[in-house]
Amino acid sequence: MSDSSTDETMPADADRAEMLPGLAAVPEVRSLLEAVDLPIGRWDAEGRLTFFNPPYVSWARRAPQELRGRTLAELYGDEAWHAARPAFDRGFSGHQAHYLRLLRHLEPPRWARIQVFPERGSNGRIDAIYTIAHDVHDDITAAMALKRSNWLLEQALDNLPWGVIESNADLIITRWSHSAETILGYTETERLGTHRLAMGVPEEERARTLAVYERLLRGEIDSWVEQAQYIRKDRRRIWVEWTLSALRDEEGHVVSLLTFVRDITHQIDTHARLLHRAERDALTGVLSRRAVMERLETALARRTREDRLALCFIDLDGFKQINDRLGHVRGDRLLVQVAHAMQDALRRDDAIGRIGGDEFVVLSAVADLAAAQSLAAKLVEVSAAAGYDLLSGLRVTASVGVAVAPIHARSSFELLQRADDAMYAAKQEGKNRWALCHRRIDGG
Ligand SMILES: Nc1nc2c(ncn2[C@@H]2O[C@H](COP(=O)(O)OP(=O)(O)OP(=O)(O)O)[C@@H](O)[C@H]2O)c(=O)[nH]1
């Protein structure tokens, strides 16, 4: 080993004091700089490292003789110098500055915040700058992770099939995601800062919806899921599912309502179609046998002492002949015509179902027997009018039997039986007519 290299690595205290430039030459300052547990370096006007304390040596991962007199670019590369240069320039122009640098010479690399401040000589000139490095790796990586997860969250929220809406404790909207725009038709600009109920919620739903919001805001419930209608900006009514959650601060106060919204119009339509299909007779569109029997059971179960329920049993006359002469397709058409004519003759609360080939049942709440009879008469009349095949001039008519609960029967089975008997009587009497059940429960 040469003498000079010995001098470089371990300078005697006296020699070192002479070698030290600027402020660092003052013994008190030097002791202070060496005692500080942060890497400190002094860079002269040519950007060369002229002083460094012991923490700097271990931080730089170099022997002292490899550090002294070197520029930052020589020590850490051009990329590092590029990051440092603006702050160095500010330091040499008399200002404090700082910059962030990823220290790639460390394994694994770490983020540091480097503070730069000028050293002014006695003549006021700036002879050098000092750098102090702070390890901010954990803060920076935490901030970057937070930023990234926020970014991911935003991306995810925007790409979800769910619209995301957030409103504050005054129900003013503070977030309206991209998907919310797509589903509800209003843009973020139109909705931010407006009241939740200002647009879209149908008039008749407002009071109920507000009551739900208020329960959430008061903390009475934490979440709420419901299906409701919404009027889009283009005035189209859609079905949506709202999932609302109350968000609380650290003290537990509800500060906002987070809402996810999903368009379920398609599901609701499909469900309605399936329900309709199960409930309806495929040919005529009136109720199916099962559905009309269910209505009958329900109506009888709900009937109060005073209520009267008329059941008309309708069987078309001579329908076999229509089929035989005109074929099934034209027969079908006549069936449909008669079914629709009967349906059109009924009131909103009445029900009509097809229970067999050419057999129908009509249910109607009536005031008395006279009303039941006039209903039966009307069914006979409209069937005869509608049951006409224009091409052949052939006609079908209907025979109708009517029984009334609780006058003629109390159970559904009996009521149906009594009406069927009465219909048979009408056929016997010559068809195209109605007959009232003649057997009263009380035997009268
Ligand atoms: N076109 C068509 N015909 C049907 C359908 N369902 C049953 N039929 C026919 O309807 C006819 C019903 O016959 P009936 O009620 O016994 O005979 P009808 O000629 O009406 O005799 P009456 O009731 O005594 O007047 C039969 O020929 C069945 O084949 C259907 O969905 N479409």
Side-chain angles (χ1 to χ4, degrees), residues 392-404:
S392 63
L394 288 176
R395 184 182 289 284
V396 282
T397 55
S399 293
V400 178
V402 56
V404 178

Side-chain angles (χ1 to χ4, degrees), residues 226-395:
E226 70 171 18
Q227 301 186 339
Q229 290 199 9
Y230 189 89
I231 304 169
R232 281 172 49 95
K233 192 185 172 195
D234 57 16
R235 310 310 297 160
R236 192 156 59 83
R237 260 187 194 243
I238 55 170
W239 278 94
V240 290
E241 182 174 279
W242 301 107
T243 303
L244 293 125
S245 317
L247 301 187
R248 294 167 189 270
D249 63 11
E250 278 161 10
E251 275 104 51
H253 302 120
V254 177
V255 287
S256 73
L257 295 187
L258 183 66
T259 308
F260 289 91
V261 59
R262 189 163 70 102
D263 187 343
I264 54 162
T265 312
H266 182 67
Q267 285 101 303
I268 294 274
D269 287 351
T270 309
H271 181 72
R273 262 200 308 277
L274 289 176
L275 200 66
H276 185 84
R277 207 176 291 169
E279 273 209 321
R280 298 282 152 176
D281 170 51
L283 177 65
T284 61
V286 301
L287 291 174
S288 64
R289 179 188 178 89
R290 205 191 66 198
V292 77
M293 289 305 155
E294 274 173 14
R295 300 274 175 107
L296 174 59
E297 295 291 353
T298 313
L300 288 175
R302 288 206 188 131
R303 201 182 57 77
T304 64
R305 191 187 267 267
E306 295 74 33
D307 290 344
R308 304 277 178 265
L309 180 74
L311 188 153
C312 295
F313 198 116
I314 300 119
D315 187 298
L316 303 192
D317 305 319
F319 192 62
K320 187 171 179 316
Q321 189 201 8
I322 295 281
N323 270 334
D324 292 347
R325 293 184 52 184
L326 305 179
H328 254 72
V329 174
R330 301 244 307 264
D332 278 0
R333 201 178 305 150
L334 271 183
L335 262 182
V336 173
Q337 281 172 212
V338 173
H340 288 182
M342 288 194 287
Q343 183 152 48
D344 292 346
L346 299 177
R347 292 184 318 223
R348 234 171 81 93
D349 292 340
D350 298 340
I352 176 168
R354 182 174 174 223
I355 61 164
D358 63 349
E359 294 171 345
F360 296 85
V361 155
V362 164
L363 303 175
S364 178
V366 290
D368 49 30
L369 282 181
Q373 293 173 83
S374 66
L375 171 64
K378 195 198 267 179
L379 292 173
V380 171
E381 186 191 326
V382 298
S383 300
Y388 182 63
D389 181 72
L390 209 60
L391 285 176
S392 63
L394 288 176
R395 184 182 289 284

Side-chain angles (χ1 to χ4, degrees), residues 42-270:
R42 178 185 185 273
W43 308 80
D44 68 12
E46 288 174 27
R48 294 186 182 282
L49 189 59
T50 53
F51 168 80
F52 43 86
N53 65 356
Y56 191 98
V57 177
S58 51
W59 180 74
R61 301 283 199 273
R62 305 278 183 113
Q65 68 271 22
E66 290 175 46
L67 295 171
R68 188 164 291 118
R70 300 282 160 77
T71 65
L72 197 127
E74 286 165 354
L75 290 171
Y76 307 112
D78 288 341
E79 192 192 324
W81 173 231
H82 189 71
R85 190 171 184 159
F88 270 50
D89 287 348
R90 277 189 65 74
F92 279 111
S93 62
H95 300 97
Q96 295 206 16
H98 60 81
Y99 66 99
L100 279 176
R101 183 153 78 81
L102 183 64
L103 308 175
R104 292 189 192 279
H105 66 280
L106 302 181
E107 188 51 53
R110 291 183 73 81
W111 283 98
R113 180 177 187 271
I114 317 280
Q115 231 180 314
V116 176
F117 58 91
E119 180 193 274
R120 227 173 267 278
S122 50
N123 54 7
R125 247 191 28 224
I126 295 160
D127 298 327
I129 55 161
Y130 281 84
T131 55
I132 306 179
H134 304 264
D135 185 311
V136 289
H137 190 77
D138 294 342
D139 292 348
I140 293 281
T141 47
M144 283 162 96
L146 187 65
K147 201 169 158 190
R148 180 164 169 73
S149 59
N150 277 342
W151 178 80
L152 277 176
L153 186 67
E154 291 292 331
Q155 294 280 311
L157 289 183
D158 267 355
N159 291 324
L160 272 182
W162 293 83
V164 183
I165 300 167
E166 200 176 343
S167 50
N168 65 16
D170 296 321
L171 294 173
I172 300 300
I173 294 171
T174 53
R175 177 199 286 270
W176 187 268
S177 75
H178 184 67
S179 306
E181 285 190 14
T182 312
I183 295 168
L184 304 175
Y186 289 100
T187 64
E188 186 186 25
T189 322
E190 285 166 329
R191 290 313 313 261
L192 283 189
T194 65
H195 193 273
R196 287 288 298 246
L197 293 174
M199 296 166 218
V201 178
E203 191 62 43
E204 68 276 10
E205 292 284 332
R206 291 208 184 163
R208 193 191 55 76
T209 309
L210 184 62
V212 171
Y213 292 162
E214 284 174 348
R215 288 185 67 200
L216 284 158
L217 288 172
R218 283 198 297 269
E220 289 171 20
I221 47 174
D222 286 330
S223 61
W224 181 263
V225 180
E226 70 171 18
Q227 301 186 339
Q229 290 199 9
Y230 189 89
I231 304 169
R232 281 172 49 95
K233 192 185 172 195
D234 57 16
R235 310 310 297 160
R236 192 156 59 83
R237 260 187 194 243
I238 55 170
W239 278 94
V240 290
E241 182 174 279
W242 301 107
T243 303
L244 293 125
S245 317
L247 301 187
R248 294 167 189 270
D249 63 11
E250 278 161 10
E251 275 104 51
H253 302 120
V254 177
V255 287
S256 73
L257 295 187
L258 183 66
T259 308
F260 289 91
V261 59
R262 189 163 70 102
D263 187 343
I264 54 162
T265 312
H266 182 67
Q267 285 101 303
I268 294 274
D269 287 351
T270 309

